Amino acid sequence: MDINGEMIVGRCIVRGREGSLHAVDPALGAEIAPAFGLATLADADTACRLSEQAFDDYRALPLAQRAGFLDTIADRIVDLGAPLIERAHRESRLPLARLEAERGRTVNQLRLFASVVRDGLFLAPTLDQALPQRTPARPDLRLRKIPLGPVAVFGASNFPLAFSVAGGDTASALAAGCPVVVKAHAAHPGTSELVGKALRQAAEECGMPAGVFSMLYDNGHRIGQALVAHPAIKAVGFTGSRRGGLSLAGIAQARREPIPVYAEMSSINPLFLLPGALAADGARLAHGFVESLTLGTGQFCTNPGLVIGLAGKDLDAFRTAAGRALAAKDAGTMLSADIQRAYAGAVARHAGVPGVTVVARGKAEGAGSAAQAALYACDAATYLTTPALEEEIFGPASLVVACNDVGQMLEMARRLEGQLTATVHATPGDQALAARLLPTLERKAGRILFNGFPTSVEVCHAMVHGGPFPATTDGRSTSVGASAIERFLRPVCYQDLPADLLAPELREDNPLGLTRLVDGRLRVAG
Amino acid sequence: MDINGEMIVGRCIVRGREGSLHAVDPALGAEIAPAFGLATLADADTACRLSEQAFDDYRALPLAQRAGFLDTIADRIVDLGAPLIERAHRESRLPLARLEAERGRTVNQLRLFASVVRDGLFLAPTLDQALPQRTPARPDLRLRKIPLGPVAVFGASNFPLAFSVAGGDTASALAAGCPVVVKAHAAHPGTSELVGKALRQAAEECGMPAGVFSMLYDNGHRIGQALVAHPAIKAVGFTGSRRGGLSLAGIAQARREPIPVYAEMSSINPLFLLPGALAADGARLAHGFVESLTLGTGQFCTNPGLVIGLAGKDLDAFRTAAGRALAAKDAGTMLSADIQRAYAGAVARHAGVPGVTVVARGKAEGAGSAAQAALYACDAATYLTTPALEEEIFGPASLVVACNDVGQMLEMARRLEGQLTATVHATPGDQALAARLLPTLERKAGRILFNGFPTSVEVCHAMVHGGPFPATTDGRSTSVGASAIERFLRPVCYQDLPADLLAPELREDNPLGLTRLVDGRLRVAG
């Protein structure tokens, strides 16, 4: 597959005429060929109108065909082979092995959603039979979930495959029955083009309606804003900054018909190191923490940006060991010069907060967009009176907070903003304190981990990658895992519908063999 | 149970000190004793803080105890006996039989949610076992849904029992594990006090934490706005006007931590009369339509405010028959003078729209807040170019729109705003047209009915009382039926949680015997 700087509008490969952008190698600061033509507002409108036109046809396809489409997208991405990984590496400087793993995740994610589609549980088929003899008579009532409509998806910079053109948002929206219009991330347009063309090819092979997928380039906010404001678009998937997410949510709310925005935005992912764990295993914890913090140059939404422990020699030892490990870490190249600048600024601001000390810095910055890791420390009183310390730093920087006592540790938990994750390190002897922390952490985070580190997100049925605001704009949802499909569905009830008009999932004879709720009881498919 | 003009703040019965209000008999325009003391902002703050304090204790109670609480509320409401119905009748002038049926619905609703709680499916327990031998190893991941937190509920004027103090929003929020703070509707404070005290008594009997329920009076917007803005409140349930719902949604969005608002607002519930049905059965349809339109003086969210048919002699005959039936209808007393004034104003505005003709008026207005039914007609061209005709008229008024052809009828469907319901009257000969309409109606409405009338909403598992904006602020939800519980839940994933800390619904031995999703497969409880 060639990279020609082209977009996809419906089934067509087109070149944008609103200026151009180049990918930039963040290690070299050098542009990479070719130039990518940027979308006009007319392109955005066309893509949205095509998605609207495709919607009813796409959602009416048999589930098996929709699932086959998702599997075929996965196959076509695999077919792209090494050139995809190489291009993604040049555009992001993420290590090749990491990108290969990320491709695996992307493909598995598509296949997981194919299985979710085949399974049909997401349709929530629910039948309450008529009770004509009752007074008043009860009609025949049948519920299923249907897709919301076309979805605008924003590619994320930090996962050029798994949260970009054919990433989790796209996979779950397509699985739900929603056409997708992607605004590709400007930092990896070549990767986007390759994946976009693979997706387009899969759509063609599988006989999908033309508007089921489009992908547009822009180097600013204009196209993204136009997508969110477009009447055809009925939901938005976004992973990025708090400012970006809130801006899109504001546009979505101001529409004539407001629409849901699923923005995954901001999280500092606290680690609570309980006394027993710190005493028993402080050195191993310090090592694991620094590995998690610096993995991928800290560019994970679940990066551990806050460590909380009780003041004392065990926390001192942890801090010293973590500082030593961090000081040995090379400066890593960040995804883009913009991200590196934002990181450097935030790190400098942290260092200037009264009461905050520098525990250690990683090795000095190298060429290009390299980031020096940073570990800070302060006491809980400082943290609790300095709101700026709560702000996410996107990159390999973290803050160790010493609490005077358990009461202050619980207060730290209560004062947290919404988080994607909260982690507890505890021994059996810490169980009582862990049990006190748990109800508070449940109210703050989408995922709670024990004795692990948050920077790996399994794609499975039980995963939640979400959490209360500001972790996301909608804490009732997850953007990773099978439940992500629920973001793009709504229930419809059919009352006394003629049998011939019922969707297969609601027919009396259950031709798809789905598990359904019948008169309040789950009837499991044979 | 006496009516003393008192509120409930936590477990305490208190008298508000911010002035007072009286209920007004809408038929007589006369105040009914006693005076109800209104809440101060301090009362609202106390109620919210108590709900916050109660939250962790309440949600941690065994499901059986939570379900028992809901059943006990139902019992205590039944115990209120005839005085409840009589007071509700004086405050609303809804017929006694209707109020008795509404009490039945309220009580059944509480018992349905008790069964939903016992059943435990709403917890969505999901287990993905650890795969330690995989590279990388997969941790143990378990998901359950937990309640969002305290919920502010607004009593609705038109269902003084079923959508008020212990109505659907309260029942589903309590079922989810959320404490509730109710802003009672000023039109039925005595009814509210009786039900509030019954609920308080049930809470006391069942040993619930003190803040699980509060109820406040106000005669304006101050207390309601304070509840929605309060940091302790995590979701809002509202049934009322579009302006009211949008105002609350705006406050909720402007919070430091935005929260979901489930506002059921505005719907004109179109009826599509297909040619075969109109030809075969026009007179019966006209009769059924007028009965549905004037039931409860048209004060239902699902009142049929729009009728769409093909121009011709069958539609003419329908219109004539409907006009005749409507002209024979007595003026009904509305719920309050405010509602009657709004109705009279809206009816007058409709009558003044160029191209709109009056088909018939009901019998002239009587004493008090009585409303004269009204039936209008226009052609589709007029309707499609006059946005004001799309606005809901709360009361017994409707508009018959004549389309030139099937294309215009489909265009009418496409141009609809979001609706609670859409109804199709069709014979087997109309099936092809019905099949063309259906995909569009699915995108517009929460419930689709065939050959019925929308003004009765069954409380069951398959019901959807919701729909795209502006029917509600959140078309992904329903405010009636078992699924209403989902509005107040969010998923949390537990990674490698020590067995002793797992909630019973996630324990390996499944002590509650719940149906769970295990490694992607549903394991149904024995």
Side-chain angles (χ1 to χ4, degrees):
Chain A
M1 200 84 77
D2 291 336
I3 300 176
N4 300 321
E6 293 160 334
M7 313 189 297
I8 294 157
V9 178
R11 190 59 59 75
C12 303
I13 295 177
V14 301
R15 191 170 176 84
R17 299 172 172 278
E18 188 82 26
S20 68
L21 69 78
H22 278 83
V24 174
D25 181 328
L28 307 176
E31 289 190 346
I32 313 170
F36 292 79
L38 305 182
T40 62
L41 287 174
D43 293 328
D45 182 59
T46 304
C48 291
R49 282 189 299 103
L50 288 169
S51 72
E52 157 74 22
Q53 286 165 27
F55 177 46
D56 279 340
D57 288 341
Y58 179 56
R59 71 188 179 99
L61 292 174
L63 292 182
Q65 203 173 336
R66 197 191 292 174
F69 174 39
L70 292 166
D71 279 335
T72 306
I73 299 170
D75 294 343
R76 292 301 152 268
I77 289 172
V78 171
D79 290 347
L80 291 169
L84 174 66
I85 302 299
E86 285 154 17
R87 179 75 193 194
H89 174 66
R90 284 185 74 195
E91 291 185 331
S92 69
R93 283 295 164 172
L94 291 169
L96 293 169
R98 141 77 196 263
L99 288 166
E100 278 161 8
E102 191 183 327
R103 176 178 58 193
R105 174 174 160 181
T106 308
V107 162
N108 288 341
Q109 200 156 251
L110 287 156
R111 293 186 176 136
L112 172 68
F113 281 111
S115 77
V116 165
V117 169
R118 288 193 183 92
D119 195 46
L121 269 182
F122 74 102
L123 297 167
T126 304
L127 287 72
D128 287 325
Q129 65 177 326
L131 300 174
Q133 73 289 4
R134 201 195 62 175
T135 312
R138 183 169 89 176
D140 178 278
L141 294 157
R142 298 170 192 234
L143 175 154
R144 66 165 176 160
K145 290 197 171 179
I146 70 167
L148 291 179
V151 174
V153 169
F154 289 75
S157 64
N158 63 337
F159 279 90
L161 300 171
F163 263 84
S164 192
V165 175
D169 287 336
T170 297
S172 53
L174 290 175
C178 300
V180 168
V181 181
V182 171
K183 195 283 219 174
H185 199 284
H188 53 262
T191 308
S192 297
E193 181 172 340
L194 289 172
V195 174
K197 286 182 172 170
L199 207 161
R200 179 193 160 280
Q201 188 183 329
E204 198 162 65
E205 274 178 47
C206 298
M208 293 294 133
V212 74
F213 172 74
S214 291
M215 181 194 73
L216 306 169
Y217 300 120
D218 187 23
N219 57 2
H221 303 303
R222 215 165 64 119
I223 294 301
Q225 290 170 351
L227 296 180
V228 177
H230 199 286
I233 297 295
K234 300 300 184 192
V236 178
F238 171 87
T239 296
S241 70
R242 186 162 174 171
R243 204 180 56 181
L246 291 179
S247 160
L248 297 182
I251 293 167
Q253 275 302 313
R255 289 164 53 115
R256 191 179 135 84
E257 179 197 6
I259 56 172
V261 172
Y262 299 101
E264 193 266 84
M265 301 185 296
S266 171
S267 183
I268 57 174
N269 305 298
L271 306 186
F272 289 82
L273 309 181
L274 304 199
L278 211 44
D281 228 9
R284 198 186 55 81
L285 286 183
H287 176 76
F289 158 65
V290 170
E291 288 304 307
S292 177
L293 175 66
T294 56
L295 187 74
T297 318
Q299 298 167 116
F300 289 103
C301 310
T302 52
N303 196 49
L306 182 65
V307 181
I308 298 156
L310 293 185
K313 67 175 182 21
D314 292 333
L315 187 62
D316 292 345
F318 167 86
R319 218 163 31 209
T320 304
R324 197 173 302 129
L326 185 119
K329 286 285 173 190
D330 288 331
T333 300
M334 297 198 87
L335 291 157
S336 74
D338 282 352
I339 287 175
Q340 193 275 338
R341 263 191 301 276
Y343 174 74
V347 161
R349 277 194 299 282
H350 247 54
V353 172
V356 171
T357 59
V358 179
V359 177
R361 297 297 310 260
K363 291 191 183 166
E365 312 189 16
S369 298
Q372 192 184 1
L375 186 62
Y376 298 101
C378 70
D379 59 23
T382 299
Y383 186 86
L384 292 170
T385 53
T386 314
L389 292 176
E390 270 192 276
E391 284 167 26
E392 182 186 10
I393 296 181
F394 190 71
S398 193
L399 173 66
V400 180
V401 175
C403 302
N404 291 333
D405 50 33
V406 163
Q408 211 172 30
M409 182 178 268
L410 292 166
E411 176 64 14
M412 284 287 299
R414 276 193 294 271
R415 288 279 297 276
L416 287 171
E417 291 191 303
Q419 304 290 338
L420 293 171
T421 70
T423 299
V424 177
H425 283 272
T427 57
D430 293 317
Q431 201 97 325
L433 176 54
R436 289 178 69 190
L437 267 172
L438 190 56
T440 301
L441 297 184
E442 279 175 333
R443 293 165 65 166
K444 301 292 181 173
R447 177 163 56 114
I448 296 170
L449 303 82
F450 267 66
N451 299 323
F453 294 96
T455 41
S456 91
V457 182
E458 184 72 29
V459 180
C460 59
H461 291 83
M463 178 49 62
V464 176
H465 188 67
F469 185 91
T472 74
T473 44
D474 192 331
R476 296 160 295 175
S477 65
T478 175
S479 61
V480 176
S483 308
I485 194 173
E486 292 173 19
R487 297 178 296 169
F488 303 116
L489 299 166
R490 48 172 277 263
V492 175
C493 171
Y494 303 87
Q495 179 171 325
D496 288 333
L497 209 69
D500 290 354
L501 292 177
L502 282 169
E505 54 267 34
L506 295 182
R507 281 188 202 141
E508 209 58 31
D509 59 345
N510 193 11
L512 303 179
L514 302 181
T515 295
R516 314 196 290 189
L517 195 70
V518 181
D519 292 325
R521 298 194 164 272
L522 213 52
R523 296 241 185 110
V524 176
Chain B
M1 199 85 77
D2 292 334
I3 301 177
N4 301 319
E6 294 160 333
M7 315 190 295
I8 293 157
V9 178
R11 189 61 58 75
C12 302
I13 296 178
V14 300
R15 192 172 174 84
R17 299 173 171 278
E18 189 82 25
S20 68
L21 69 78
H22 278 83
V24 174
D25 182 328
L28 307 176
E31 289 191 347
I32 312 171
F36 291 79
L38 305 181
T40 61
L41 289 174
D43 293 328
D45 182 59
T46 303
C48 291
R49 281 189 298 105
L50 287 170
S51 73
E52 156 74 22
Q53 285 165 28
F55 177 45
D56 279 339
D57 289 341
Y58 179 57
R59 73 189 178 96
L61 292 174
L63 292 182
Q65 204 174 335
R66 198 191 292 174
F69 175 39
L70 293 165
D71 279 335
T72 306
I73 299 170
D75 293 342
R76 294 299 152 269
I77 290 173
V78 170
D79 290 346
L80 290 170
L84 174 66
I85 301 300
E86 286 155 16
R87 177 78 194 194
H89 174 66
R90 286 186 73 194
E91 292 186 330
S92 70
R93 284 292 162 173
L94 292 169
L96 292 169
R98 141 76 196 266
L99 288 166
E100 277 162 11
E102 190 183 329
R103 176 179 56 192
R105 173 173 161 184
T106 308
V107 162
N108 288 343
Q109 200 156 253
L110 286 157
R111 292 186 176 137
L112 172 68
F113 281 111
S115 77
V116 166
V117 169
R118 287 193 184 93
D119 195 48
L121 269 181
F122 73 103
L123 297 167
T126 304
L127 287 73
D128 286 328
Q129 65 177 328
L131 300 173
Q133 73 290 2
R134 200 195 63 177
T135 312
R138 182 168 89 175
D140 177 275
L141 294 158
R142 298 171 193 234
L143 174 154
R144 66 165 176 160
K145 290 198 172 177
I146 70 167
L148 291 179
V151 174
V153 169
F154 289 75
S157 64
N158 62 338
F159 279 90
L161 300 171
F163 263 84
S164 192
V165 175
D169 286 337
T170 297
S172 53
L174 290 176
C178 301
V180 168
V181 181
V182 172
K183 197 282 221 173
H185 199 283
H188 53 264
T191 309
S192 297
E193 181 172 340
L194 288 173
V195 175
K197 285 182 173 171
L199 208 161
R200 179 193 160 280
Q201 188 182 332
E204 198 162 65
E205 274 178 48
C206 299
M208 293 292 133
V212 75
F213 172 73
S214 292
M215 183 194 71
L216 305 170
Y217 299 121
D218 188 22
N219 57 2
H221 302 304
R222 217 165 61 119
I223 295 300
Q225 290 171 349
L227 295 181
V228 177
H230 199 286
I233 297 296
K234 300 300 183 192
V236 178
F238 170 88
T239 296
S241 70
R242 186 162 175 172
R243 203 180 56 180
L246 291 179
S247 160
L248 296 182
I251 294 168
Q253 277 300 314
R255 290 164 51 116
R256 190 179 135 83
E257 178 196 5
I259 55 172
V261 171
Y262 300 101
E264 192 265 83
M265 300 185 296
S266 172
S267 183
I268 58 174
N269 306 297
L271 306 187
F272 289 82
L273 309 182
L274 303 198
L278 213 43
D281 228 7
R284 198 186 55 81
L285 285 182
H287 177 77
F289 158 65
V290 170
E291 289 302 308
S292 177
L293 176 65
T294 56
L295 187 72
T297 317
Q299 299 167 115
F300 288 103
C301 310
T302 52
N303 196 50
L306 183 66
V307 180
I308 298 156
L310 293 185
K313 67 171 180 30
D314 293 332
L315 186 62
D316 293 345
F318 167 86
R319 218 163 29 208
T320 304
R324 197 172 305 128
L326 185 118
K329 286 283 172 192
D330 288 330
T333 301
M334 298 198 86
L335 291 157
S336 73
D338 282 352
I339 288 175
Q340 194 277 338
R341 264 191 300 276
Y343 174 73
V347 161
R349 278 194 299 281
H350 247 54
V353 172
V356 172
T357 59
V358 178
V359 177
R361 296 298 308 260
K363 292 193 184 164
E365 311 189 16
S369 300
Q372 192 183 4
L375 186 62
Y376 299 101
C378 70
D379 60 22
T382 300
Y383 186 87
L384 292 170
T385 53
T386 314
L389 293 175
E390 269 191 276
E391 284 168 25
E392 181 186 10
I393 296 182
F394 190 71
S398 191
L399 175 67
V400 180
V401 176
C403 302
N404 292 335
D405 52 31
V406 163
Q408 212 172 30
M409 183 179 268
L410 292 166
E411 176 65 11
M412 283 289 296
R414 277 192 294 272
R415 287 279 296 276
L416 287 171
E417 290 191 304
Q419 304 290 340
L420 293 171
T421 70
T423 299
V424 178
H425 283 271
T427 57
D430 292 317
Q431 200 99 323
L433 177 52
R436 288 178 71 192
L437 266 172
L438 191 56
T440 302
L441 297 184
E442 280 176 330
R443 292 165 65 165
K444 301 291 182 176
R447 177 163 57 116
I448 296 170
L449 302 82
F450 268 65
N451 299 324
F453 294 96
T455 41
S456 93
V457 182
E458 183 73 27
V459 179
C460 59
H461 291 83
M463 178 49 63
V464 176
H465 187 67
F469 185 92
T472 74
T473 44
D474 191 332
R476 297 161 294 176
S477 65
T478 173
S479 62
V480 177
S483 309
I485 195 172
E486 292 173 18
R487 298 177 296 168
F488 303 116
L489 298 166
R490 47 173 278 263
V492 174
C493 171
Y494 302 87
Q495 179 171 326
D496 288 334
L497 209 68
D500 291 352
L501 292 178
L502 282 170
E505 54 267 34
L506 295 181
R507 281 190 203 141
E508 208 60 29
D509 59 347
N510 193 12
L512 302 179
L514 302 180
T515 295
R516 313 195 292 189
L517 195 70
V518 180
D519 292 324
R521 296 194 164 273
L522 213 51
R523 296 243 185 110
V524 176

